Amino acid sequence: MWEKSMIGLQSLIKKSTPSSFAYISEKLGNAVFDKMDELACFVPGMLALGSSTYGPGEAEKYLSLAEELVWTCYNFYQSTPTKLAGENYYFRDGEDMSVGTTWNIQRPETIESLFYLWRFTGNKTYQEWGWNIFQAFENNTRIETGYVGLKDVTTGQKDNMMQSYFLSETLKYLYLLFSPSSVISLDEWVFNTEAHPLRIVTRVANEESGNPEEEYLLQVIPPHDVM
């Protein structure tokens, strides 16, 4: 399933002009559009995680693509006056990227990918990018009672809502981005799509027959037992 999905993904990768930002074009039916949502910025983290299961050659291929895509995602943030990303971006010849839907609703996907790339490469650049994004949230969305989204990342106009996933995902991945790798080690834990850590455990698949084959299981652990 992974290999087949990667073939499909790679067929949608394009480069912008003039700066050669790699992006994932959007396919609807038989039509392909030069548009990428911030939601798709989980992909670099997925690729980094997937690369860890390959030997050096294949691993480098997936990790290199992850690094290209996360650079694009980071520039979704850097390209606006508030340094916060809009909901989606269009890529037109000679224009690189331009923001489409201009709201920011505190999404975690780019931070998630920065976390995975930091864990797998040790490159402190990803921490620096994460810190810059956090500062943009602090400067543009912090209010007396918490944080809110933006109606428009080009003007800084605020909305009046803090998303639940801002705490459970966005800030969690930011915290982990600056934590030692031993904190929720990726050798022992896997995160679901809502950033809940599940412990990886093994057991003998067929204890009655004595078959030594192991199967991997996921065990839900209460949050207070993780940190």
Side-chain angles (χ1 to χ4, degrees):
M1 181 182 294
W2 167 269
E3 298 289 348
K4 187 175 181 179
S5 297
M6 290 303 99
I7 292 172
L9 172 65
Q10 290 172 1
S11 72
L12 296 175
I13 300 296
K14 295 185 178 182
K15 295 285 186 75
S16 73
T17 56
S19 300
S20 293
F21 288 114
Y23 64 96
I24 306 168
S25 54
E26 186 174 285
K27 185 174 183 179
L28 296 175
N30 293 323
V32 177
F33 300 93
D34 293 315
K35 170 179 173 284
M36 180 176 170
D37 287 4
E38 198 282 338
L39 276 168
C41 286
F42 79 92
V43 171
M46 177 188 73
L47 291 171
L49 184 61
S51 74
S52 66
T53 66
Y54 287 93
E58 284 293 293
E60 178 57 32
K61 179 180 73 174
Y62 287 117
L63 194 58
S64 177
L65 178 56
E67 291 177 320
E68 287 190 78
L69 288 171
V70 82
W71 170 238
T72 301
C73 292
Y74 177 61
N75 277 277
F76 286 172
Y77 286 79
Q78 290 297 294
S79 64
T80 72
T82 58
K83 306 302 181 186
L84 289 173
E87 183 73 356
N88 49 55
Y89 285 77
Y90 289 89
F91 297 83
R92 300 178 177 90
D93 287 343
E95 297 181 14
D96 281 327
M97 63 180 70
S98 58
V99 65
T101 304
T102 58
W103 68 56
N104 178 286
I105 52 175
Q106 307 170 309
R107 292 198 184 278
E109 286 78 17
T110 297
I111 302 295
E112 176 184 3
S113 285
L114 292 175
F115 158 70
Y116 279 110
L117 280 158
W118 154 245
R119 283 287 179 94
F120 284 109
T121 69
N123 188 340
K124 292 184 177 180
T125 295
Y126 300 122
Q127 290 180 313
E128 294 171 6
W129 293 355
W131 180 251
N132 291 341
I133 293 172
F134 174 67
Q135 288 296 302
F137 279 121
E138 282 285 300
N139 294 334
N140 294 282
T141 72
R142 182 73 180 265
I143 61 173
E144 184 177 353
T145 54
Y147 295 81
V148 294
L150 296 183
K151 292 182 179 180
D152 191 332
V153 295
T154 66
T155 66
Q157 182 184 6
K158 295 178 174 64
D159 64 21
N160 63 352
M161 183 181 298
M162 183 171 75
Q163 304 291 334
S164 62
Y165 56 74
F166 183 67
L167 297 177
S168 64
E169 297 184 65
T170 308
L171 291 184
K172 181 186 291 182
Y173 282 124
L174 273 167
Y175 174 83
L176 291 170
L177 180 60
F178 295 95
S179 298
S181 296
S182 58
V183 178
I184 314 186
S185 167
L186 295 179
D187 293 326
E188 302 174 32
W189 301 86
V190 63
F191 290 93
N192 69 7
T193 58
E194 302 306 315
H196 191 98
L198 307 176
R199 187 187 293 277
I200 302 170
V201 296
T202 59
R203 72 178 184 188
V204 175
N206 190 337
E207 295 180 0
E208 292 184 1
S209 67
N211 188 336
E213 180 182 356
E214 290 184 330
E215 62 179 3
Y216 289 91
L217 306 172
L218 300 179
Q219 179 183 11
V220 178
I221 307 295
H224 57 76
D225 291 335
V226 174
M227 306 301 285

